[in-house]
Amino acid sequence: MAQTEEGAEAPRIIDADVHNAIGHKDHLLPFLPKAFHEQWLRGGPGYGGGYYGNNSVNRSDAVTDTGGAPGSDPLFLKKHHLDRYGIDYAVLTGSGILGISLNPDPDFGNAVASAYNDWLVETWLKASPQYKGSILVNHSDPPEAAKEIERMARHKDMVQVIMCSGSRQLFGQRVFHPIYEAAARHNLPVAIHPGTEGRGIAGPPTPSGHPTRYLEWHNILPTNYMAHVNSLVCEGVFEKFPEMVFVAIEGGLAWLPHLMWRMDKNYKGLRDTVPWLKKLPSEYIRKHIRLTTQPIEEPERKDHLNAIFDMIDADHMVMFSSDYPHWDFDNPQIALQQIRKPLRDRIFARNAMDLYGLHTRPQVGEGAVRA
Amino acid sequence: MAQTEEGAEAPRIIDADVHNAIGHKDHLLPFLPKAFHEQWLRGGPGYGGGYYGNNSVNRSDAVTDTGGAPGSDPLFLKKHHLDRYGIDYAVLTGSGILGISLNPDPDFGNAVASAYNDWLVETWLKASPQYKGSILVNHSDPPEAAKEIERMARHKDMVQVIMCSGSRQLFGQRVFHPIYEAAARHNLPVAIHPGTEGRGIAGPPTPSGHPTRYLEWHNILPTNYMAHVNSLVCEGVFEKFPEMVFVAIEGGLAWLPHLMWRMDKNYKGLRDTVPWLKKLPSEYIRKHIRLTTQPIEEPERKDHLNAIFDMIDADHMVMFSSDYPHWDFDNPQIALQQIRKPLRDRIFARNAMDLYGLHTRPQVGEGAVRA
């Protein structure tokens, strides 16, 4: 068993992407100003349709004991997922709510994000110390998003800021810097999560328009991550906010070597156009970007994935995630079994411990859900 | 020296991406209907501006002996590039003209594409047997593009169809199938070339809008290639046209392992939505996609690039290209030196020989430019 410096037991598994859901729309009403009740109830996040997946998004076995939506019950989720796999902490990332940034109405987006955050504290973070929260922000209104970070950062169980990766602008651009400034002030990582590409006020999911079907759309989601990481580095965000960490959740990771090499090569030829950069793009990426594993790429030859881990400094950049309760969930007893032990330990716990400040396991007794 | 089956000498280097330029706009007029002369002279391809690159696009040392534009003189190009590096054949890909597909007016696009093709035959293909042509098509009007392929395919020195990768739709979609049908009829590969992303009627260059500067835009160009390859496979283009080869020029190659793995993984879970596919996406990619090398990725550790070659079956998929006379030109005496001999030979000549039917070196005497 790993020990922390103080002798307390260190976490064995931290799951960096667990989707907690709002079971019924009504549940958000106590936290939402009355002016937005009808819009929420009749429109939901209301950022436009998405691709139709035959599988639906959720595992059918994750419906709760009382027939509730997958991910909607802290007690069931603990039993069905955390206890089953020996997961010490779950970083909660929301469900069907992140895309609120893509609603055309920023006031509605701000109100729903705030309501969600209050609901998250009351319903999940108070239920168990194993749950850690992500402060949802509406990235289409960055000054208000910054205020929301200020408001919520005092909750010690909020471990990062989260926003959807679908966007009408690239995240390095200066319009978003108030978000990073507020996050940096509170030493919080900023995370993005995919799945809203092409919705609402975001652009089409590719430079050449809309893919035809869910499969094709899902295959190509990481290209938006590449575009955001490229933008963050080239715009000098990591020079302006030198301690900032940006977490690319659920984007896989095998795309990163190519991006780093291409950026470094071009930087050598064109660096006079980005004089604010002080080092190679790949150096910023290694220091400031973190990736979560799911959906981990599965080459036929296991050594190919090990080669990718080697190329991207996985020892420091990669954190395990399951994506529970989504259909393409990675089971921690099966995923990543081929990698060598020290790297396994870093990916399954150490890198998330360091990033989120979770150096000891939840206290005995404290771990029980207050149902 | 490599020998072909017949005992004739095989090519040593084939350059799959050389940019021949129209030296002056006037040069196209003899081939262009009078109705479009003013539009061409005053608007050029006319598909909107692009990103400003400090370097300009061309090598300054490629200005011709008479002060002409880089790539505009067959005699100078032969001396400055082919003879200098022992290149047997250059596959010509045009310059500043491919984006004609992104002009809002399809009639103008069709007329300019036809004029360019006739000019290409007269000015370049008749000048030397070392030059091989690509039939330019206007992909925004596929039925007319198919007619243009029919018209030009009779020229034995036209070795492929080419179109810009900037597009308002993804290339797997059925609107483009007439182009592939015509190409397949004449056993011609279909090639795409980047650089028009975000121009004219194409969408923004990323799913989250426009990158800020040329460097950032250039870094991220391969994401459009990923989207097109994904689309071609998922839409079943390679089942419909079983002999078709699609050439992804100037997009690099290190992005392909990730795409293949992600597509294969998702296919296993979602294949009921694409019942026309008969095998794994990566199997279609290995058989039907070809990549050219420039701008080859340059990881610090040479073994990392070798690992990528291994992952993508470079023995059959990769062809050398220099991108002459562009600023980020790859010198064949420097690029790709670290790879093992049999693979080198395939990349520098054999794969292009097989694809383009260039199994013997240009005949002695015939190689001279008819100035």
Side-chain angles (χ1 to χ4, degrees), chain B residues 26-39:
Chain B
D26 282 359
H27 294 176
L28 210 63
L29 297 183
F31 308 97
L32 188 68
K34 202 157 184 339
F36 295 109
H37 280 200
E38 283 304 304
Q39 189 169 354

Side-chain angles (χ1 to χ4, degrees), chain A residues 12-15 18 81-90 130 320 322 332 362:
Chain A
R12 296 156 306 183
I13 303 181
I14 297 175
D15 186 341
V18 172
H81 182 54
L82 305 191
D83 296 349
R84 184 172 186 172
Y85 297 113
I87 293 165
D88 293 296
Y89 292 107
Q130 291 182 268
F320 170 75
S322 74

Side-chain angles (χ1 to χ4, degrees), chain B residues 286-304:
Chain B
R286 286 172 200 278
K287 178 173 174 195
H288 296 278
I289 302 292
R290 295 291 178 276
L291 306 161
T292 68
T293 54
Q294 190 277 338
I296 189 74
E297 293 85 358
E298 294 175 8
E300 261 188 66
R301 281 176 46 187
K302 304 284 187 216
D303 61 313
H304 282 167

Side-chain angles (χ1 to χ4, degrees), chain A residues 123-254:
Chain A
T123 310
W124 289 83
L125 304 188
K126 289 187 177 173
S128 166
Q130 291 182 268
Y131 294 126
K132 298 296 170 186
S134 307
I135 301 170
L136 175 61
V137 296
N138 169 20
H139 67 54
S140 74
D141 192 351
E144 291 301 314
K147 287 184 197 165
E148 183 65 10
I149 294 169
E150 286 297 334
R151 191 177 76 87
M152 297 310 297
R154 65 190 166 84
H155 289 278
K156 68 173 177 45
D157 292 322
M158 288 292 203
V159 295
Q160 67 185 356
V161 173
I162 197 166
M163 53 194 196
C164 66
S165 52
S167 174
R168 57 186 158 189
Q169 283 187 252
L170 288 161
F171 286 145
Q173 294 179 0
R174 56 193 68 162
V175 68
F176 296 109
H177 294 196
I179 295 174
Y180 309 145
E181 191 176 15
R185 194 176 307 125
H186 296 283
N187 203 24
L188 290 170
V190 176
I192 58 171
H193 191 287
T196 55
E197 277 69 9
R199 291 191 178 196
I201 60 173
T206 86
S208 300
H210 289 263
T212 309
R213 293 171 191 85
Y214 178 85
L215 164 66
E216 189 187 331
W217 169 81
H218 195 285
N219 289 342
I220 211 70
L221 288 174
T223 58
N224 197 30
Y225 275 40
M226 300 176 214
H228 284 312
V229 169
N230 180 42
S231 172
L232 287 160
V233 172
C234 291
E235 294 278 32
V237 167
F238 301 123
E239 281 294 335
K240 191 168 173 184
F241 306 105
E243 300 306 321
M244 179 175 157
V245 174
F246 196 85
V247 187
I249 299 176
E250 199 178 323
L253 42 77

Side-chain angles (χ1 to χ4, degrees), chain A residues 20 22 28 40 45 47 93-101 112-113 116 136:
Chain A
N20 57 308
I22 300 165
L28 210 63
W40 168 253
Y47 48 83
T93 53
S95 179
I97 193 79
L98 298 184
I100 195 67
S101 295
V112 171
Y116 169 83
L136 175 61

Side-chain angles (χ1 to χ4, degrees), chain B residues 2-321:
Chain B
Q3 302 288 314
T4 63
E5 286 161 25
E6 302 79 13
E9 274 181 42
R12 295 156 307 182
I13 303 182
I14 297 176
D15 186 341
D17 184 22
V18 171
H19 293 285
N20 58 308
I22 300 166
H24 296 279
K25 281 185 171 179
D26 282 359
H27 294 176
L28 210 63
L29 297 183
F31 308 97
L32 188 68
K34 202 157 184 339
F36 295 109
H37 280 200
E38 283 304 304
Q39 189 169 354
W40 168 252
L41 290 173
R42 294 167 68 183
Y47 46 83
Y51 285 86
Y52 174 71
N54 279 17
N55 291 7
S56 96
V57 169
N58 289 309
R59 285 166 51 182
S60 50
D61 71 327
V63 171
T64 71
D65 289 336
T66 56
S72 65
D73 180 343
L75 181 59
F76 181 83
L77 197 156
K78 177 169 157 55
K79 183 177 67 177
H80 192 232
H81 182 55
L82 305 192
D83 295 350
R84 185 171 185 172
Y85 297 111
I87 293 165
D88 294 296
Y89 292 106
V91 179
L92 302 176
T93 52
S95 178
I97 194 80
L98 297 184
I100 195 67
S101 294
L102 303 179
N103 191 292
D105 177 353
D107 292 321
F108 180 63
N110 294 336
V112 171
S114 292
Y116 168 83
N117 290 327
D118 288 332
W119 169 86
L120 175 64
V121 170
E122 292 302 318
T123 310
W124 288 84
L125 304 188
K126 289 188 177 173
S128 166
Q130 291 182 268
Y131 293 126
K132 298 296 170 187
S134 306
I135 301 170
L136 175 62
V137 297
N138 169 19
H139 67 55
S140 73
D141 192 352
E144 291 301 314
K147 287 184 197 165
E148 182 65 9
I149 294 169
E150 286 297 335
R151 190 178 76 87
M152 297 310 297
R154 65 191 166 83
H155 289 278
K156 69 174 178 43
D157 292 322
M158 288 293 204
V159 297
Q160 69 185 354
V161 173
I162 197 167
M163 54 194 196
C164 65
S165 51
S167 174
R168 59 186 157 190
Q169 282 187 253
L170 288 161
F171 286 145
Q173 293 179 0
R174 55 192 69 163
V175 66
F176 297 109
H177 293 196
I179 295 174
Y180 309 145
E181 190 175 18
R185 194 176 306 124
H186 296 282
N187 202 26
L188 290 170
V190 176
I192 59 171
H193 190 287
T196 55
E197 276 69 9
R199 291 189 177 196
I201 59 173
T206 87
S208 299
H210 290 263
T212 309
R213 295 171 192 84
Y214 178 84
L215 164 67
E216 189 186 330
W217 168 81
H218 194 285
N219 289 342
I220 211 70
L221 288 174
T223 58
N224 196 30
Y225 275 41
M226 301 176 213
H228 284 312
V229 169
N230 180 41
S231 171
L232 287 159
V233 171
C234 291
E235 294 278 32
V237 167
F238 302 123
E239 281 294 334
K240 191 167 174 184
F241 305 105
E243 301 306 321
M244 179 175 157
V245 175
F246 196 84
V247 187
I249 299 176
E250 199 179 323
L253 41 77
W255 46 269
L256 195 60
H258 164 255
L259 184 67
M260 292 197 296
W261 298 337
R262 188 168 174 108
M263 290 175 73
D264 282 358
K265 180 169 180 172
N266 276 341
Y267 176 74
K268 290 170 187 170
L270 298 165
R271 64 188 182 277
D272 58 334
T273 63
V274 285
W276 41 84
L277 297 189
K278 303 284 192 287
K279 48 191 179 184
L280 288 172
S282 63
E283 295 180 73
Y284 291 104
I285 288 173
R286 286 172 200 278
K287 178 173 174 195
H288 296 278
I289 302 292
R290 295 291 178 276
L291 306 161
T292 68
T293 54
Q294 190 277 338
I296 189 74
E297 293 85 358
E298 294 175 8
E300 261 188 66
R301 281 176 46 187
K302 304 284 187 216
D303 61 313
H304 282 167
L305 190 59
N306 286 329
I308 297 287
F309 281 134
D310 189 42
M311 294 169 187
I312 63 172
D313 192 14
D315 278 74
H316 297 95
M317 294 187 69
V318 177
M319 304 187 291
F320 170 75
S321 65

